[in-house]
Amino acid sequence: MIEAIRWSREAVLVLDQLQLPRKVEWVRCVRSDEVADCIAAMKIRGAPAIGVAAAMGLALGAREPAAREAVSLADFFAVISARMAATRPTAVNLTWAIGRMQQAFAAALPRGLEAVRAALEEEALEIARQDRETCAAMGRHGATLIPRDARVLTHCNTGSLATAGSGTALAVIREAHARGRVKLVYVDETRPYLQGARLTAWELAQDGIPQRLIADSMAAFLMARGEVDFVVLGADRIAANGDVANKIGTYGLSVQARHHGVPFYVAAPLSTVDVRKATGAGIPIEERPARELTELAGIAIAPEGVGVWNPSFDVTPHQHITGIITEVGVLRPPYWQSIPEAVLKSGETSGFSTA
Amino acid sequence: MIEAIRWSREAVLVLDQLQLPRKVEWVRCVRSDEVADCIAAMKIRGAPAIGVAAAMGLALGAREPAAREAVSLADFFAVISARMAATRPTAVNLTWAIGRMQQAFAAALPRGLEAVRAALEEEALEIARQDRETCAAMGRHGATLIPRDARVLTHCNTGSLATAGSGTALAVIREAHARGRVKLVYVDETRPYLQGARLTAWELAQDGIPQRLIADSMAAFLMARGEVDFVVLGADRIAANGDVANKIGTYGLSVQARHHGVPFYVAAPLSTVDVRKATGAGIPIEERPARELTELAGIAIAPEGVGVWNPSFDVTPHQHITGIITEVGVLRPPYWQSIPEAVLKSGETSGFSTA
């Protein structure tokens, strides 16, 4: 399974997902702000992977000469943390990972720079390790939900390129396929960034999982023909009531699934839950540049200067969601009950204090 | 307003819509099969424009040296008609236009080749002239349906590039805009062929009509935010019960519009009605090559060899359609009553005898 990000003490290596599937190219970041640039430019993306990248980026920052030269190490760390937090507004794992790194930083600070460096490295690697375990657990919990010989539809990329492990929704699909339950995966190409066509189709091809690539607008017709048994996709942020912010197109799919009576599951680690957002209405929705829609690999596919609306995410109301697959099990409605219960039990709330 | 196709006795000029919006380039066809190739390759597309192109292509065919050299002019004409009919399977206007040309041919044949040439030219130009009038009439009937300050959503291209006139759905939008009723047009980019981004956005920009380009998957979220007042789009074939085959994505939009309580109108000339198809289930759905989804301007946007499902059209059930805007007025449910009534009254059934 491909890794999206690698750590060494001298550098963070980011697999440039903008180049996939045409070439496998790694960006070598030696400064924290280079990692932040990779996140902002979507060279690395996917809520859990963004969290891991931010953590490694901050650990890298503490190793920069600038960290030693700073008058105040605490101020230096606050600055690189703020830069990291500003890269993407919707994924809460980013805030959560930065929060964990800030706690590790604060605990080590009295022991000096070398202690801080060691603590941040350890915490970043621990976040990555936990994410791998979390992916595997989601895979196990979700795989049992998928019916035999299922034709599964997914959206965006939620695999090993989006996490430090086997993925969220894709972990579920991988595990179900390993158990012989998946007949075919329908992959939404996921405009405008084409994460489905470029990344998910690539991951599935590497794993030898049978797939059909479709345009996003084809999913409804597939469902009408009775060719989709199960929908599973990821989340960028989950509100306390179970409303889910995820890649644009998720909401539309949820309406289609409801209309056609197809089970609709979200797979996400508990770090994706933002208990401070009572409903999805409070989740900020990132709007991305027009050229993501008007150009492709530098080629104009729309007239010069045309007006564009390019939200990167939408919000799916909890009523449309059959269940939320997490590392501690499958959460069921009413989510205002099951989500806080799971979060409090797991202790994953700690990260939120810092956002 | 740009023309999609031009006639002279020596050639048919087809505006190459594959090159838009990057360049305005005309393909000069001097043989009937060159026009057929343009239709099959989608250099010209849009149900009414395909009908006009086929008619002009057949008129051009009668002017080829091969028409004079043929042992049987009738056989020659049957061959070029069959070639033309095989270009695209879903748009019934193609069959309808070929049927009209076959009748004109049969009527003139006793008077010899020059009479055939004159009759076919006259008939092709008459089809084009009627299409222009039909567009204008649809515009007038449809414009009154659009509420003041409306935000209108449309799909694919249904304008002067898809017809010989101002369009079908786009004629409605143009006329409503001229009457000051349209605040904003949301244009679905319409994957995989991007008719919305490449063609509709280009036509609207030329007319100075305010627009926002969106990915197809964004329409649902727009509706959820209450930002769409009216949906209008075209049709490639309409069954006798009002089921509509149209560009892939139309069905999904109809589900979204229904879920969000947004009026959903189809605009199409009566020549789009196929009274021999009782329901949409009988309409053939063209599947296009995988590379339309996996490549863009020659650039790979998906892994080599990935499985693809690429239907060019879907079928929207009549229950989802608020009204069908035609040149004789707005047809309302029950369509099994209003459609045959309108067709019989207009005499547009003549074309179907030949399909």
Side-chain angles (χ1 to χ4, degrees), chain A residues 68-329:
Chain A
R68 188 180 300 284
E69 294 154 11
V71 176
S72 156
L73 180 57
D75 283 356
F76 173 80
F77 192 73
V79 166
I80 65 172
S81 298
R83 168 77 185 94
M84 203 61 81
T87 51
R88 301 287 305 274
T90 302
V92 77
N93 316 56
L94 179 66
T95 314
W96 168 87
I98 295 170
R100 280 187 55 164
M101 296 300 281
Q102 287 174 328
Q103 290 186 343
F105 175 83
L109 186 58
R111 288 178 285 124
L113 181 57
E114 286 312 315
V116 163
R117 286 176 171 175
L120 291 184
E121 176 176 357
E122 193 184 329
E123 188 69 4
L125 294 179
E126 176 63 12
I127 287 173
R129 193 192 59 73
Q130 285 178 1
D131 190 49
R132 279 193 296 279
E133 276 181 15
T134 295
C135 291
M138 282 185 285
R140 286 192 303 273
H141 292 303
T144 61
L145 301 170
I146 295 188
R148 206 152 277 289
D149 282 326
R151 295 148 308 170
V152 180
L153 187 140
T154 191
H155 191 67
C156 199
N157 173 263
T158 59
S160 51
L161 293 166
T163 62
S166 58
T168 57
L170 220 49
V172 172
I173 290 172
R174 283 186 158 119
E175 182 61 29
H177 179 259
R179 298 184 190 185
R181 302 176 89 91
V182 175
K183 188 172 162 190
L184 188 63
V185 181
Y186 284 110
V187 179
D188 273 359
E189 65 172 0
T190 317
R191 284 285 292 154
Y193 193 80
L194 296 166
Q195 291 95 333
R198 297 190 301 106
L199 309 179
T200 299
W202 187 72
E203 285 199 42
L204 291 176
Q206 293 207 324
D207 283 15
I209 300 177
Q211 61 173 319
R212 291 277 176 290
L213 180 66
I214 60 170
D216 304 320
S217 66
M218 295 168 187
F221 191 41
L222 258 189
M223 290 188 200
R225 291 163 45 130
E227 295 186 33
V228 180
D229 303 303
F230 195 89
V231 176
V232 60
L233 36 67
D236 285 77
R237 196 184 301 210
I238 301 177
N241 72 339
D243 291 353
V244 166
N246 190 45
K247 182 53 51 197
I248 186 74
T250 300
Y251 168 68
L253 278 177
S254 80
V255 173
Q256 300 298 350
R258 197 177 170 80
H259 182 80
H260 297 94
V262 177
F264 185 89
Y265 283 88
V266 167
L270 287 176
S271 58
T272 310
V273 174
D274 183 353
V275 287
R276 292 166 310 133
K277 294 280 183 267
T279 76
I283 299 176
I285 298 296
E286 175 180 10
E287 296 196 9
R288 307 264 320 163
R291 65 183 149 67
E292 289 187 357
L293 215 62
T294 59
E295 289 181 14
L296 205 139
I299 296 166
I301 56 174
E304 181 81 20
V306 69
V308 165
W309 184 56
N310 184 17
S312 202
F313 303 94
D314 57 26
V315 176
T316 298
H318 59 90
Q319 295 93 335
H320 291 194
I321 300 167
T322 314
I324 300 175
I325 302 161
T326 74
E327 68 271 36
V328 301

Side-chain angles (χ1 to χ4, degrees), chain B residues 267-288:
Chain B
L270 286 176
S271 58
T272 310
V273 174
D274 183 353
V275 288
R276 292 166 310 133
K277 294 280 182 267
T279 74
I283 300 176
I285 298 296
E286 176 180 9
E287 296 195 11
R288 306 268 317 164

Side-chain angles (χ1 to χ4, degrees), chain B residues 134 138 168-169 233-236 238 266-272 324-327:
Chain B
T134 296
M138 282 185 284
T168 57
L233 35 68
D236 285 78
I238 301 176
V266 167
L270 286 176
S271 58
T272 310
I324 301 176
I325 303 161
T326 75
E327 66 272 37

Side-chain angles (χ1 to χ4, degrees), chain B residues 154-185:
Chain B
T154 191
H155 191 68
C156 198
N157 175 263
T158 60
S160 50
L161 293 168
T163 63
S166 58
T168 57
L170 219 51
V172 173
I173 291 172
R174 283 185 157 118
E175 183 62 28
H177 179 258
R179 298 183 191 185
R181 301 177 91 90
V182 175
K183 189 172 160 190
L184 188 63
V185 181

